[in-house]
Amino acid sequence: MKETKGNRLHITFLGKMNTGKSSIINNLFNREISIVSDFAGTTTDVNQKAMELLPLGPVSILDTAGIDDIGELGQKRVNKTLEALDRTDVAVIIFDNTGVKDCDIELFNNLKTKKIPIISIINKTDISLPSENDIKIIENNSNHIIHASAKKDKDIASKIKLGLISVLDSEYIDTPTLLGDVVDKNDTIILVIPIDKEAPKGRIILPQVQTIRDILDNSAISVVCNVQNLKHTIDSLKKPPRLVVTDSQAFKEVSEIVPKNIELTSFSIIFAKLKGDLKTFVHGAKTIDKLQDNDKVLICESCSHHPNEDDIGRVKIPNLIKKYTGKNIIFEHTSGHIFPNDIEKYKLIIHCGACMTNRREVLSRIEKASSKYVAITNYGVAIAKCLNILDRTLEPFKN
């Protein structure tokens, strides 16, 4: 199974125009991923590629426009580069003999604020080096330094890999599991997958696929059924399942079928634990009780899709919250990597399960919400709250 974009380590290559970012990326993978030119400003937007980088495994490489780009269009390119930091796990900044400029210092400060580890590569060493003072500035602001020549170094890939391993936390080397801290070997987990209008024809959606794989990786047993045959599935087992995991949209029906002695949660809540901060999301859900008429709620979808007439984020969750609160709530939506700067106008942000983005981006959004004193939760937690079953759905994670 190919690793999804949201589970890949996101490595962003940054620096001024014409310092050799694209050349170094091409050398790292020994193939032409990015366009290389002697003309400054060749890379005009964030170019994201899914690659395999052993021994780290699947990664997403982000090649960005120069942080010193100028003019109105250039500033838009720089803004796109800075937006990419919200989904960056590790930053690789490329320098050359032009040394350190104000935009480099600003970038260092930005990365430090976001607590993103920094690898700095001093490129074009076959030509000349930056000044001693500039090198000291780079060393003082970096977690790891590499001296290299993209044109002549044959071992530049090894240098970068060693640098990545040295600056990354263990969670990026040893990927955490969805249910590894909940289930034991030979446990049976029932996965309830509704086949409704939102179910893609001929396949099941990404969070469900990933959960099945995670159960297998933990030497447990997955049993898949839909809502209609859930009771029969439970009754047919010799002993009760360790856990039932359902799509959040079927929470109400499933919670009425599953006996109270069997633990229950949802795919979205599992991903809230993996991709975000479950405690923060649970605390944020309490704001639903405080919503008033004309309060604004932002619903964030991490993927771009064509919503149908029964869409969970645009129809089901708004209707459920309006019914629960009895209030006329105003709902607004964003999708993909878009996250507004003026979030203080919202009383609550409700994030999707984030299967299509990485943990860094979700944590960045949580931090931004916290800095503006805006409550944030996620789909599954919000749905469970409105159905008055939140405490039950959190039981599997109490330990």
Side-chain angles (χ1 to χ4, degrees), residues 91-93 95 108 118-122 138 142 144-147:
V92 181
I93 309 178
F95 294 91
F108 274 136
I118 300 168
I119 295 174
S120 288
I121 299 179
I122 300 175
I138 296 170
S142 306
H144 188 86
I145 304 288
I146 297 172
H147 288 72

Side-chain angles (χ1 to χ4, degrees), residues 4-7 10 206 210 271 275 302-303 337 352-358 361:
T4 64
K5 182 170 67 174
N7 283 353
H10 284 52
L206 186 59
Q210 290 178 307
F271 273 79
K275 293 293 186 75
S302 63
C303 62
H337 299 301
C352 69
C355 62
M356 291 303 294
T357 190
N358 65 342
E361 187 165 20

Side-chain angles (χ1 to χ4, degrees), residues 119-377:
I119 295 174
S120 288
I121 299 179
I122 300 175
N123 188 29
K124 304 180 184 179
T125 55
D126 57 315
I127 301 173
S128 63
L129 293 172
S131 69
E132 289 186 12
N133 185 58
D134 283 343
I135 291 176
K136 285 182 180 179
I137 293 173
I138 296 170
E139 290 175 344
N140 290 337
N141 286 280
S142 306
N143 301 101
H144 188 86
I145 304 288
I146 297 172
H147 288 72
S149 168
K151 289 187 176 180
K152 294 189 175 182
D153 271 5
K154 294 182 179 180
D155 60 345
I156 191 169
S158 297
K159 289 180 179 179
I160 295 174
K161 290 177 186 179
L162 289 173
L164 290 168
I165 292 171
S166 72
V167 304
L168 288 170
D169 292 336
S170 60
E171 68 176 281
Y172 296 108
I173 308 300
D174 302 313
T175 306
T177 66
L178 289 168
L179 292 170
D181 56 346
V182 175
V183 305
D184 294 320
K185 182 179 180 180
N186 295 325
D187 279 347
T188 298
I189 295 88
I190 294 179
L191 306 179
V192 184
I193 300 178
I195 304 301
D196 55 17
K197 293 179 181 178
E198 289 199 64
K201 186 175 181 180
R203 60 188 177 87
I204 58 179
I205 63 176
L206 186 59
Q208 298 159 357
V209 173
Q210 290 178 307
T211 304
I212 291 172
R213 174 57 188 265
D214 190 79
I215 291 169
L216 296 174
D217 286 342
N218 285 285
S219 300
I221 302 163
S222 64
V223 177
V224 181
C225 67
N226 59 30
V227 180
Q228 289 70 32
N229 58 22
L230 173 58
K231 185 178 185 305
H232 173 77
T233 301
I234 295 173
D235 291 343
S236 66
L237 296 175
K238 289 185 178 180
K239 66 177 184 178
R242 168 66 183 83
L243 176 67
V244 174
V245 182
T246 182
D247 189 291
S248 298
Q249 300 180 70
F251 249 152
K252 187 176 187 300
E253 296 171 271
V254 171
S255 65
E256 293 171 352
I257 296 171
V258 178
K260 292 294 190 290
N261 65 311
I262 298 175
E263 291 186 342
L264 169 68
T265 194
S266 76
F267 295 103
S268 185
I269 290 178
I270 291 172
F271 273 79
K273 181 175 73 76
L274 179 74
K275 293 293 186 75
D277 185 330
L278 185 55
K279 288 183 179 179
T280 298
F281 286 153
V282 171
H283 180 75
K286 296 177 182 178
T287 299
I288 296 174
D289 290 326
K290 303 174 184 177
L291 292 175
Q292 301 297 320
D293 286 333
N294 298 317
D295 279 347
K296 291 185 177 180
V297 173
L298 176 67
I299 295 183
C300 293
E301 303 164 332
S302 63
C303 62
S304 299
H305 67 279
H306 182 72
N308 59 36
E309 70 273 14
D310 207 23
D311 188 79
I312 182 171
R314 297 172 185 264
V315 179
K316 289 183 178 178
I317 289 178
N319 288 344
L320 187 60
I321 290 178
K322 287 179 179 179
K323 181 178 179 181
Y324 177 83
T325 62
K327 305 295 182 181
N328 181 33
I329 312 298
I330 300 171
F331 291 90
E332 297 182 0
H333 301 80
T334 63
S335 60
H337 299 301
I338 298 172
F339 194 72
N341 292 320
D342 57 345
I343 57 173
E344 60 270 15
K345 68 182 181 181
Y346 301 107
K347 292 293 183 180
L348 177 65
I349 298 171
I350 305 177
H351 206 289
C352 69
C355 62
M356 291 303 294
T357 190
N358 65 342
R359 188 166 188 259
R360 172 71 71 174
E361 187 165 20
V362 179
L363 292 178
S364 172
R365 292 177 173 185
I366 291 173
E367 179 59 32
K368 288 180 180 179
S370 175
S371 70
K372 298 289 182 68
Y373 303 99
V374 179
I376 185 168
T377 188

